[in-house]
């Protein structure tokens, strides 16, 4: 793809300092879009992501934010607009490391944490960005969801359930905001060798037996790479998908078939 696939302005990758978010951000920079990334604690990683964008010839910026704070999110959006002039795309790649717990053992505290970051966080971003996109003549949302929507992954409900609410919101945005030139789509993320998967693997939560059993459920007999999520997100956000909205691309090696 070329810069002609995106208008002037930036792609905002919410959670761009995470393992998958970082790869997604780089894919947008490679495709010709300027970039902005948010982070909460990983300032050093966010700086590295910005440096990667600059090395690719793109304007890049990083922005600290607590997604659960609606006022802070609005301030962050204003900062990105001041820096880049326009946000033409929002990729929502944020989320905590999700503890693998059966539904019956999920505590109210864990449930609240997941909802506040992923569901309320996404809503706060949408609320802050939609007026800006309307003013600028349109834009695109790409939500990184879960392939668990297609086949329930045991113990992963703290990830799948909050993302399901976001999937519903994506379809609502597609339905209501298309008339304003705003599109909204999702990439369903399978088991990707980055971010949360690597952290839980290091803890021993995902051991070799778990990986072997997971591979049995895949049509493509390997785990995914983070840039493969990025390529799908870039397509959905680009002018090449200008007539695509309210849709999902399942990037999971055939999980759920």
């Amino acid at each position: 793809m070329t810069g002609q696939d995106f208008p002037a302005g930036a792609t905002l990758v919410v959670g761009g300092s995470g393992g998958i978010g970082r790869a997604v951000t780089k894919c947008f920079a490679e495709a010709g879009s300027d970039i902005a990334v948010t982070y909460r604690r990983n300032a050093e990683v966010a700086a590295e992501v910005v440096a990667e964008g600059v090395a690719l010839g793109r304007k890049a910026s990083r922005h600290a934010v607590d997604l659960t704070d609606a006022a802070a999110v609005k301030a962050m959006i204003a900062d990105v607009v001041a820096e880049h002039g326009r946000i033409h795309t929002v990729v929502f790649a944020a989320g905590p490391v999700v503890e693998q717990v059966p539904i019956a053992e999920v505590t109210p505290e864990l449930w609240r944490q997941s909802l506040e970051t992923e569901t309320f966080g996404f809503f706060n971003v949408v609320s802050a960005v939609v007026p800006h996109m309307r003013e600028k003549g349109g834009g695109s949302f790409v939500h990184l969801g879960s392939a668990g929507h297609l086949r329930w992954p045991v113990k992963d409900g703290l990830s799948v359930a909050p993302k399901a609410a976001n999937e519903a919101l994506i379809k609502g945005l597609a339905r209501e905001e298309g008339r304003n030139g705003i599109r909204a789509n999702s990439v369903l993320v399978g088991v990707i060798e980055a971010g949360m998967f690597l952290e839980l693997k290091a803890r021993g939560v995902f051991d070799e037996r778990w990986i072997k059993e997971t591979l049995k459920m895949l049509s493509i007999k390997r785990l995914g790479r983070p840039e493969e999520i990025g390529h799908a997100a870039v397509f959905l956000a680009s002018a090449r998908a200008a007539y695509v909205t309210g849709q999902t691309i399942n990037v999971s090696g055939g999980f759920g078939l």
Side-chain angles (χ1 to χ4, degrees):
M1 291 188 179
T2 69
Q4 296 178 345
D5 289 300
F6 298 99
T11 296
L12 170 62
V13 182
V14 181
S17 63
I20 293 178
R22 180 174 188 167
V24 169
T25 304
K26 184 176 182 181
C27 286
F28 274 92
E30 290 172 338
S33 174
D34 291 343
I35 55 171
V37 297
T38 75
Y39 68 96
R40 185 168 183 179
R41 298 183 183 89
N42 294 330
E44 183 176 341
V45 175
E48 293 173 0
V49 176
V50 166
E52 290 173 350
V54 171
L56 289 166
R58 310 313 310 172
K59 185 175 182 179
S61 62
R62 59 174 176 156
H63 307 265
V65 69
D66 177 356
L67 294 176
T68 68
D69 184 336
V73 172
K74 287 185 178 180
M76 177 272 293
I77 295 300
D79 288 345
V80 176
V81 172
E83 182 79 19
H84 295 275
R86 177 181 180 183
I87 299 170
H88 59 71
T89 297
V90 170
V91 179
F92 193 81
V97 173
V98 178
E99 301 301 328
Q100 301 295 291
V101 183
I103 295 171
E105 298 176 18
V106 172
T107 65
E109 291 73 23
L110 279 174
W111 184 250
R112 186 176 297 108
Q113 177 187 0
S114 295
L115 287 175
E116 285 181 349
T117 302
E118 298 214 46
T119 306
F120 281 92
F122 182 53
F123 176 80
N124 289 339
V125 171
V126 168
S127 295
V129 174
V130 165
H132 167 73
M133 286 186 173
R134 286 176 175 174
E135 179 185 340
K136 294 297 183 179
S140 175
F141 288 92
V142 180
H143 173 252
L144 301 192
S146 171
H149 295 307
L150 305 177
R151 179 176 179 176
W152 186 265
V154 175
K155 297 184 180 181
D156 200 31
L158 286 169
S159 174
V160 179
K163 286 182 169 64
N166 291 351
E167 293 299 327
L169 188 58
I170 281 288
K171 292 189 182 301
L173 283 171
R175 179 65 173 168
E176 296 181 5
E177 295 297 331
R179 68 191 66 190
N180 297 313
I182 298 172
R183 298 184 300 108
N185 297 284
S186 289
V187 177
L188 301 185
V189 178
V191 182
I192 305 297
E193 289 190 280
M196 186 180 74
F197 169 79
L198 293 181
E199 182 164 339
L200 291 176
K201 182 182 178 184
R203 290 190 202 172
V205 176
F206 297 151
D207 56 18
E208 290 305 315
R209 180 178 179 277
W210 184 94
I211 294 172
K212 183 178 180 180
E213 291 302 312
T214 297
L215 290 174
K216 290 179 181 179
M217 295 186 284
L218 305 183
S219 300
I220 300 173
K221 300 300 182 181
R222 63 170 175 83
L223 303 183
R225 296 185 287 268
E227 63 269 21
E228 291 172 320
I229 304 301
H231 297 323
V234 166
F235 167 71
L236 287 173
S238 75
R240 302 191 186 197
Y243 203 51
V244 178
T245 195
Q247 305 303 307
T248 60
I249 294 180
N250 179 24
V251 183
S252 66
F255 179 80
L257 294 178

